[in-house]
Amino acid sequence: MASYKNFESKNNKTTKDRTNIYDPTFASPVEGKDNSNVIRNHLDKWAELCAFLRFYPDIFYDMIAPATGGIKLDLYQRVMMRVLSRFQENYFCIPRGGSKTLTQIMTAYHTGITHPNITIAITASTKESAVKIWKEKHDEILRFYPAIADEIKSVNFSKDTGRVEFQNGAIIDNLANAQSSKGLRRRRGSLEESALIDKDLYEDAIEPIFNVPRVTMTGETDPTELNGQINRFSTSGYKNSDEYEKILKMTKEMGNLKGTFVFGSDWFIPVHFGRQKVSTINKARQGNVIRFRQNYLCDWIGVSDGALINISKLIKARTIISPELECPTDKRGNYELNEYVISVDVARSASENNNKSAIVVLKLIRNANGAIRQVHVVNVLTPPNGLNFKEQSIIVKRIFYQYGGNTDLSKSRVKAVVIDANVIGQGLVDRLLEDVTDDETNKELGCWATINTLQKPSVPNSPEILYCLKSQGINGDIIREFINYVESNKLKLLKSFDDIKDKLPKHADEIAIEQACAQMQFLIDEVSNLKLKKTQNSITVEQVVKRVDKDRFSAISYGLYYINLFLDRQEIDEYEDDDDLVYF
């Protein structure tokens, strides 16, 4: 039988010659063993436990889970948590219902608890969206793990600000992806819906924030700590975008063991673990094909080679925060001195799956010299399929008057209505050249004449409002004009509805504004699906996925071509002369 002496500590068995001062089982020969100080006597075990829990955040949550309740972490969530605690840079491309946000916030709280005085930032496209996401998950964590509340010193959530301070001095707050965040310092950060974040602004204002490492309680910097860690969470976006290049680069670095990790999945994982219903997936599959591929398949859609434009530049163009569903008026009811061009791409189909007619309203912004500085896409409308040409003509004329159009062209805020007059479009042109009455309001909408053709209207001397555009021979010029406006940042689109809904006037038509904002996203989808194709004498575009329309793109392109050809002319002072010998 083994002697009990074999189980005595080295400190009890040895009374002298204890020279190995690095052996933690020896107590100081001066102080002796202090049975009242449990932590100091077992400091090596505490250090080992802390290191273990830092490396295994999922086990940390298992240890503090209540006897009943808590969250049963699934295998992929445990992998996500461990990856977030071990790799310097991570990218998680996960579908809707994948619990990526909850896992992200849980790991951030674990990091705050296990790293005293650390500062962590949660960043999204706007501060409001970051706080909204965070606040919901914060309440869930405290409900499922009540012990976390003992580690929190203070909590502050408002409309656009979030801040959680822990007992050990660690702080988690939110930052806006904007120049206002420039100069701040944090130790780690996460980017929510990173596919929506502007790369140039991020690299200039956000990325340098995480360059300063955390100082430990001993006043030193731990070289093994993940200082400067940046984690990205998103569903997929577009090929030929900055974010697509980023995830490709990180995937390559992961293969070369450079300290990055890319985690991707589709809807099978959340469905397998019961976090998403198959019925939800099937319903989404019947809707917009691009939304389904991005939100549930995590496909990066569009063109990788030969794309029409870098889609990130078009996403960056979404800067308009004040939608215009009609021409604004002053206090007297007079229209403001705005300039609009209405552009129409014509389609005729009874099926909603085929191409649709698209009506685009473009607003001109000029500089002091009269040259066009910007063109704002203030509204895009797609009438239902199946309408005949007369019904479509009534819709076009309604929109004309809605934006300050007038048959007295000197008073009209709409400078022209550009129509795709190729083949099918000629039918709409014929109807617009007829006198018509709005059946809903019984208002006379008048008769129009064309600007550039000899086609006669039904009423003589009708105002020349209609420009009939036929793209044969000039298709390459039309495409190049669209590219020029995007590349020069002159084309501006409405922001997403979530970004502007809290700033809308009290009596704004939120449904119509939300539809207008959604149309901008459809436009981006269309452009991302277009590939440049060189022909013998010019260039054209072709659709990568035929189910994705290109009518909105076509309508905008026609309008920009007309604006550049006829309206973008700098006003010249009649007294201006470059001859130095001319005196007045």
Side-chain angles (χ1 to χ4, degrees):
M1 180 177 178
S3 171
Y4 73 91
K5 292 182 179 181
N6 293 333
F7 296 95
E8 288 183 332
S9 67
K10 292 182 180 180
N11 195 62
N12 289 335
K13 291 191 292 184
T14 306
T15 58
K16 60 181 180 180
D17 297 331
R18 292 179 291 165
T19 58
N20 188 0
I21 62 174
Y22 298 103
D23 190 339
T25 59
F26 285 113
S28 169
V30 177
E31 297 180 0
K33 185 175 181 181
D34 184 4
N35 291 324
S36 64
N37 195 329
V38 178
I39 293 180
R40 186 171 63 183
N41 290 333
H42 300 279
L43 190 59
D44 60 312
K45 299 299 182 183
W46 283 109
E48 183 179 353
L49 175 63
C50 290
F52 178 84
L53 292 180
R54 283 184 176 184
F55 218 56
Y56 292 91
D58 56 313
I59 295 180
F60 166 81
Y61 277 103
D62 289 342
M63 292 173 62
I64 66 172
T68 57
I71 299 175
K72 183 181 179 181
L73 295 173
D74 294 319
L75 175 61
Y76 79 99
Q77 290 178 300
R78 295 181 183 274
V79 172
M80 289 174 62
M81 286 185 169
R82 296 185 186 187
V83 164
L84 287 168
S85 299
R86 303 180 189 185
F87 289 87
Q88 186 69 29
E89 190 174 12
N90 303 288
Y91 201 118
F92 294 88
C93 186
I94 300 177
R96 302 295 181 194
S99 188
K100 60 181 179 291
T101 304
L102 178 62
T103 306
Q104 166 199 351
I105 302 299
M106 288 178 65
T107 307
Y109 280 28
H110 160 266
T111 303
I113 293 170
T114 56
H115 294 77
N117 294 327
I118 196 172
T119 51
I120 304 172
I122 299 174
T123 305
S125 56
T126 63
K127 293 183 71 173
E128 292 83 356
S129 58
V131 172
K132 181 180 179 181
I133 295 169
W134 178 14
K135 175 64 169 62
E136 179 181 335
K137 303 308 176 185
H138 171 85
D139 295 338
E140 282 190 44
I141 293 172
L142 294 188
R143 183 168 70 252
F144 290 118
Y145 298 98
I148 294 290
D150 296 333
E151 301 293 335
I152 296 176
K153 183 178 180 180
S154 63
V155 178
N156 180 29
F157 286 108
S158 63
K159 181 179 178 181
D160 59 356
T161 303
R163 179 186 171 93
V164 174
E165 184 176 355
F166 294 86
Q167 300 289 356
N168 62 4
I171 297 173
I172 303 176
D173 63 357
N174 69 307
L175 296 179
N177 189 39
Q179 291 291 344
S180 58
S181 300
K182 209 169 185 176
L184 299 177
R185 290 293 175 262
R186 301 292 185 271
R187 308 300 176 246
R188 303 187 192 184
S190 62
L191 309 180
E192 183 69 29
E193 294 297 341
S194 61
L196 303 178
I197 292 179
D198 177 16
K199 176 192 174 186
D200 295 334
L201 183 59
Y202 165 76
E203 291 181 346
D204 180 48
I206 300 299
E207 192 172 36
I209 290 175
F210 309 106
N211 288 341
V212 179
R214 181 184 79 99
V215 177
T216 65
M217 300 298 287
T218 60
E220 301 174 349
T221 300
D222 184 356
T224 66
E225 191 171 317
L226 300 177
N227 290 306
Q229 183 195 54
I230 299 177
N231 303 305
R232 297 169 181 261
F233 302 83
S234 184
T235 51
S236 59
Y238 301 94
K239 293 180 180 178
N240 192 40
S241 66
D242 297 329
E243 196 68 12
Y244 184 65
E245 296 299 322
K246 178 66 177 179
I247 195 171
L248 289 181
K249 178 183 177 183
M250 289 183 62
T251 302
K252 184 177 180 180
E253 290 176 346
M254 181 177 67
N256 294 329
L257 305 180
K258 298 293 186 180
T260 65
F261 195 95
V262 177
F263 185 106
S265 73
D266 57 17
W267 59 268
F268 284 93
I269 280 186
V271 167
H272 175 77
F273 287 101
R275 299 186 178 276
Q276 190 69 272
K277 295 180 179 180
V278 177
S279 59
T280 302
I281 305 300
N282 292 333
K283 182 178 180 180
R285 198 192 304 271
Q286 303 303 318
N288 184 279
V289 60
I290 290 182
R291 294 286 81 73
F292 175 74
R293 290 177 60 189
Q294 286 184 325
N295 292 336
Y296 296 100
L297 295 181
C298 282
D299 281 346
W300 293 79
I301 62 174
V303 185
S304 56
D305 296 319
L308 177 62
I309 59 169
N310 184 334
I311 202 65
S312 294
K313 293 188 176 182
L314 196 59
I315 295 173
K316 188 177 179 180
R318 300 192 70 171
T319 60
I320 304 175
I321 60 175
S322 301
E324 291 185 17
L325 302 180
E326 59 185 6
C327 183
T329 57
D330 58 21
K331 295 180 179 179
R332 297 181 178 179
N334 298 320
Y335 288 118
E336 294 184 2
L337 299 178
N338 295 338
E339 292 181 273
Y340 300 98
V341 169
I342 297 173
S343 183
V344 185
D345 181 63
V346 185
R348 274 295 305 275
S349 174
S351 173
E352 289 296 327
N353 294 326
N354 292 341
N355 294 343
K356 301 177 177 63
S357 293
I359 305 172
V360 176
V361 182
L362 304 173
K363 179 182 178 181
L364 281 57
I365 309 295
R366 299 183 184 271
N367 60 21
N369 295 325
I372 293 177
R373 181 168 54 88
Q374 292 181 0
V375 174
H376 292 184
V377 183
V378 295
N379 204 355
V380 177
L381 301 101
T382 52
N385 279 6
L387 298 181
N388 58 42
F389 289 128
K390 179 181 178 180
E391 292 169 328
Q392 292 189 43
S393 70
I394 292 175
I395 293 175
V396 172
K397 289 186 177 181
R398 283 178 189 163
I399 296 172
F400 172 79
Y401 291 110
Q402 189 175 328
Y403 284 90
N406 197 308
T407 52
D408 183 350
L409 298 182
S410 64
K411 299 178 181 179
S412 180
R413 302 294 180 258
V414 179
K415 300 306 176 183
V417 176
V418 183
I419 297 285
D420 165 28
N422 290 305
V423 192
I424 296 177
Q426 187 59 46
L428 178 58
V429 171
D430 294 340
R431 284 296 186 174
L432 289 170
L433 299 183
E434 297 177 357
D435 205 359
V436 66
T437 303
D438 190 339
D439 295 332
E440 293 184 5
T441 63
N442 204 34
K443 179 181 178 180
E444 294 296 329
L445 300 178
C447 177
W448 295 353
T450 65
I451 298 172
N452 60 325
T453 72
L454 299 177
Q455 190 171 356
K456 300 295 184 181
S458 62
V459 178
N461 300 320
S462 296
E464 296 180 355
I465 296 171
L466 200 59
Y467 183 84
C468 299
L469 186 145
K470 297 186 177 182
S471 59
Q472 288 89 348
I474 60 170
N475 194 49
D477 295 331
I478 294 173
I479 295 170
R480 278 188 284 268
E481 205 55 54
F482 176 83
I483 295 173
N484 289 338
Y485 269 89
V486 175
E487 294 289 341
S488 62
N489 295 321
K490 291 173 67 175
L491 185 68
K492 302 297 180 182
L493 310 178
L494 281 171
K495 284 192 170 186
S496 67
F497 183 71
D498 288 338
D499 291 341
I500 66 174
K501 63 182 180 181
D502 295 330
K503 304 172 185 177
L504 295 176
K506 186 176 181 180
H507 300 292
D509 187 349
E510 292 193 5
I511 295 178
I513 293 174
E514 184 175 7
Q515 291 174 345
C517 294
Q519 291 284 359
M520 303 299 156
Q521 185 60 56
F522 295 144
L523 168 64
I524 295 174
D525 293 343
E526 289 186 6
V527 176
S528 71
N529 188 53
L530 296 177
K531 185 176 183 178
L532 276 175
K533 181 180 180 182
K534 293 184 179 180
T535 60
Q536 185 175 1
N537 299 319
S538 184
I539 58 172
T540 184
V541 294
E542 61 179 6
Q543 298 154 273
V544 177
V545 179
K546 299 302 181 183
R547 288 179 59 190
V548 180
D549 299 331
K550 66 181 186 72
D551 308 287
R552 299 170 183 85
F553 158 76
S554 298
I556 289 178
S557 299
Y558 299 151
L560 293 178
Y561 177 79
Y562 177 85
I563 291 170
N564 181 71
L565 196 62
F566 296 106
L567 300 180
D568 193 4
R569 291 292 180 266
Q570 186 170 337
E571 295 179 358
I572 301 175
D573 193 330
E574 61 178 340
Y575 297 110
E576 183 179 343
D577 200 310
D578 293 332
D579 191 347
D580 294 336
L581 300 179
V582 175
Y583 298 93
F584 296 94

